[in-house]
Amino acid sequence: MGNACSNHLGIPPAKGPYAVGCTDFMMDHTAQGSFFRLYYPCQETEKAEKPDWVPCKEYFNGLADFMKINRTLSEKIFNYLFGSFKIPAYLDAPFKSNGKCPVVIFSHGLGAFRTLYSAICAELASRGFIVASVEHRYVDQSASATYYFREKTESEMANDNVPKTSASAQDSMIREWIYYRVLQHGESEFPLRNKQVKQRADECILALDRLTQINSGRPVQNVLQTKFDCTTLENSMDLCRIAAMGHSFGGATVVEALCKEVKFKCGVALDAWMFPLDDEIFARVKQPIFFINSEKFQWAGNISRMKKLDSASIQRKMITIRGTVHQSFPDFTFLTGNWIGKLMKLKGEIDPEIAIDLSNKATLAFLQRHLGLEANFNQWDPLIDGQDENLIPGTNVTVLQSAI
């Protein structure tokens, strides 16, 4: 990691006309509550800071568990490689109203968490969207790490010497970490993943319910006591224009969420991992879906499940980005030099910024088309059909007709 290659590493800034803010919401301190990072158009501000990309060391520990490597060693390595990076958004910056914003709920991949897709989420916010990047938690345990709060016991309170009368809500709570659940030896994978994808879809719908509550001006309790004033979001969202988006396991979550909730008007699935889904749901999904795939991850069985969503009457689109790998969508791809990036399969052959730019522009064009937006994203309509030197219309994978 010589300085020559590391000095230009970093998550690319958003390209849209609006500055981007972000804040964390945790409604209900228990593990069943909704937890997400919200990205939104913000007022330009001198004071605001950009948050750390990885919020704290427990997330590094979770990544180590997910990757099956030693925590102590990996914490040092991760901290060295990734500890100094910031998210391209201003923490708790004041919301800037520009008419009503369409809404996107974003679902992360297996072993990821709410902050790892900031290049995508910030880009959408810079174009006028409000984006909730959900952290999947509870019994799901498909994030590498996440947390909730539980009330301290009497003895814990006594040990802290906090008088009961003066204790604030935060004083009486203790942070509990939930780490990634590894598949047990001999355990069948489908029942676990199928249960998880259903819970994940429910968490996306719950996040949407919480945004609806914030939008209506009803008071909400944010356990995290941030500096962000959520009353400024009253009437800020266009709740007739909502989309679901996700990567990998999050791509399957998009399909499941569309099936469960018609308020999602369309979905964008980035390199979706279709395994967790029940076959019977494909016929029940009525909304348009856009599959944006990497060149190296997909295989015939997975593509043939996407093709089960093909429809004569509902728009189902698929493109493949040349030179990309499965990890070309999360932020990791921008944060390692070439040899480490390729060694860890975080980087493909294509410049990661070109790849994410194509993915984002194609997404914006698709969202404009299916949410009925009045914007200029239709300038990128050709990308939806794979018309670019770095795109393949459909897939690079050969799928035998008999498999479909």
Side-chain angles (χ1 to χ4, degrees), residues 7-53:
N7 53 15
H8 63 266
L9 293 175
I11 301 164
K15 296 187 156 87
Y18 304 117
V20 178
C22 68
T23 189
D24 284 330
F25 275 100
M26 189 185 288
M27 322 290 189
D28 176 357
H29 63 271
T30 68
Q32 290 90 329
S34 187
F35 186 19
F36 53 84
R37 174 157 288 183
L38 198 70
Y39 295 83
Y40 51 88
C42 77
Q43 296 170 25
E44 298 272 359
T45 164
E46 293 296 301
K47 294 192 294 289
E49 294 183 357
K50 294 182 171 172
D52 288 336
W53 180 55

Side-chain angles (χ1 to χ4, degrees), residues 256-322:
E256 183 77 32
L258 262 53
C259 184
K260 283 185 158 179
E261 180 51 83
V262 294
K263 287 177 191 160
F264 291 116
K265 295 294 186 282
C266 65
V268 178
L270 306 172
D271 229 9
W273 178 46
M274 302 294 284
F275 172 77
L277 295 164
D278 285 308
D279 273 343
E280 51 92 23
I281 80 158
F282 298 134
R284 289 169 34 208
V285 183
K286 302 298 182 220
Q287 303 96 313
I289 301 176
F290 191 12
F291 292 103
I292 301 179
N293 294 340
S294 75
E295 190 177 357
K296 296 284 187 275
F297 174 70
Q298 294 298 337
W299 65 98
N302 204 51
I303 295 285
S304 70
R305 303 199 81 201
M306 292 178 188
K307 299 254 191 204
K308 287 184 175 146
L309 284 151
D310 281 356
S311 162
S313 56
I314 309 161
Q315 189 157 56
R316 301 282 158 77
K317 289 289 191 181
M318 186 190 296
I319 59 172
T320 301
I321 307 175
R322 291 184 194 278

Side-chain angles (χ1 to χ4, degrees), residues 5 32 113 205 320 364:
C5 72
Q32 290 90 329
F113 40 93
I205 294 163
T320 301
L364 287 163

